[in-house]
Amino acid sequence: MPPHPSSPYGLRPPKSATTPMKPGSPALQAPPMSGVSDSRTRTQQLLRPHHKTSPLIWCGAVMCVVFSLLLILAGVITLIIFLVVKPRNPSLDLTAASLNTIYIDSSTYLNSDFTFLANFSNPNHKIDFTFEYLGVELYFHDRIIAVQAVQPFAQRTGESRLESVHMVSSEVPLPPGLALQLQQQVRGNSVVYSVRGTFKVKASLGAGHLSYWIYPRCDVELSAPPNGVLVAKRCRAKS
């Protein structure tokens, strides 16, 4: 290699070191920095300003919280009243009954006349009741044979009320098997009926009141007509 004039050692520099490179050549292009670009994008997304919550959403949330607190408060107040007052349902009892007629014709149609004295009582000391609807049904072996309505009335704490209820069955069709059982009971001097009530009552305590339904039931045993009287009974109620 011939000596180069500008070299102290008289050597010519390599051609690649002295040849200028074009700006667009690959050697001058920086390698792509994909990791740095992705990091900047994520940072910009995190620093992007969020939209403000709508006042309607805040108002709805506050109303839901207030409503939940009111429900909890109402439940606590109801529990306290229940523990202090200890409410009891009004009761139905049969104090007397008479079975005047039972007649079954050849087509197994029933005709019957049954009267009983109902005793409605309010066992509470702080709650008044109003009987808004009173319906009474007479059954024989889960077969309805008569219906009667009783006039609504109010009942104060500790009061009792007697009501005479007259149940008449007129041409009521019975299955042959039930008709035969009823005839056998008449001959055996022991007729079993079921008196069932459907009552809507309103309980009042101070300025508050609550309406609900109760379903009392009395199973009675009667002697045979025409002078049938009450022999035994079993009354209970459910709401």
Side-chain angles (χ1 to χ4, degrees):
M1 178 182 295
H4 192 271
S6 60
S7 174
Y9 301 99
L11 298 176
R12 184 186 297 273
K15 185 177 182 179
S16 60
T18 59
T19 303
M21 302 186 70
K22 297 181 179 180
S25 62
L28 294 179
Q29 292 180 352
M33 303 177 67
S34 59
V36 176
S37 177
D38 294 342
S39 176
R40 289 178 179 177
T41 303
R42 288 194 296 268
T43 304
Q44 291 176 356
Q45 292 178 351
L46 292 174
L47 296 179
R48 183 178 301 171
H50 297 282
H51 296 287
K52 293 183 178 180
T53 304
S54 172
L56 292 178
I57 297 179
W58 281 111
C59 182
V62 171
M63 291 180 63
C64 289
V65 172
V66 172
F67 183 71
S68 301
L69 292 176
L70 289 177
L71 284 180
I72 295 173
L73 181 61
V76 172
I77 293 175
T78 302
L79 178 60
I80 293 175
I81 292 176
F82 181 83
L83 294 176
V84 172
V85 179
K86 297 180 181 179
R88 297 169 59 189
N89 288 329
S91 61
L92 171 66
D93 189 22
L94 271 65
T95 59
S98 61
L99 183 57
N100 304 315
T101 304
I102 288 182
Y103 172 72
I104 301 176
D105 61 19
S106 58
S107 301
T108 68
Y109 283 88
L110 170 66
N111 297 273
S112 173
D113 189 305
F114 172 60
T115 303
F116 65 90
L117 191 62
N119 181 19
F120 300 90
S121 61
N122 180 3
N124 296 280
H125 299 288
K126 298 181 180 180
I127 299 178
D128 298 331
F129 281 109
T130 300
F131 287 81
E132 300 179 327
Y133 171 83
L134 299 96
V136 181
E137 300 171 341
L138 184 65
Y139 284 80
F140 177 71
H141 278 277
D142 289 331
R143 182 84 174 194
I144 186 169
I145 58 176
V147 294
Q148 186 60 270
V150 179
Q151 290 295 323
F153 60 90
Q155 195 169 48
R156 298 187 62 83
T157 58
E159 286 186 351
S160 295
R161 181 186 179 97
L162 296 176
E163 288 282 345
S164 179
V165 184
H166 189 196
M167 312 289 294
V168 177
S169 305
S170 179
E171 298 293 326
V172 178
L174 288 180
L178 282 183
L180 179 60
Q181 289 186 38
L182 183 55
Q183 290 173 337
Q184 292 175 347
Q185 289 186 5
V186 171
R187 287 194 293 267
N189 197 32
S190 176
V191 178
V192 178
Y193 278 166
S194 178
V195 178
R196 304 178 188 180
T198 302
F199 304 156
K200 183 180 181 181
V201 298
K202 181 173 69 175
S204 301
L205 176 62
H209 59 82
L210 173 68
S211 295
Y212 60 98
W213 294 86
I214 60 174
Y215 305 93
R217 173 173 175 170
C218 287
D219 298 324
V220 296
E221 180 184 353
L222 308 154
S223 57
N227 299 314
V229 295
L230 182 63
V231 177
K233 63 181 178 180
R234 184 168 66 95
C235 296
R236 58 190 183 276
K238 64 178 182 178
S239 58

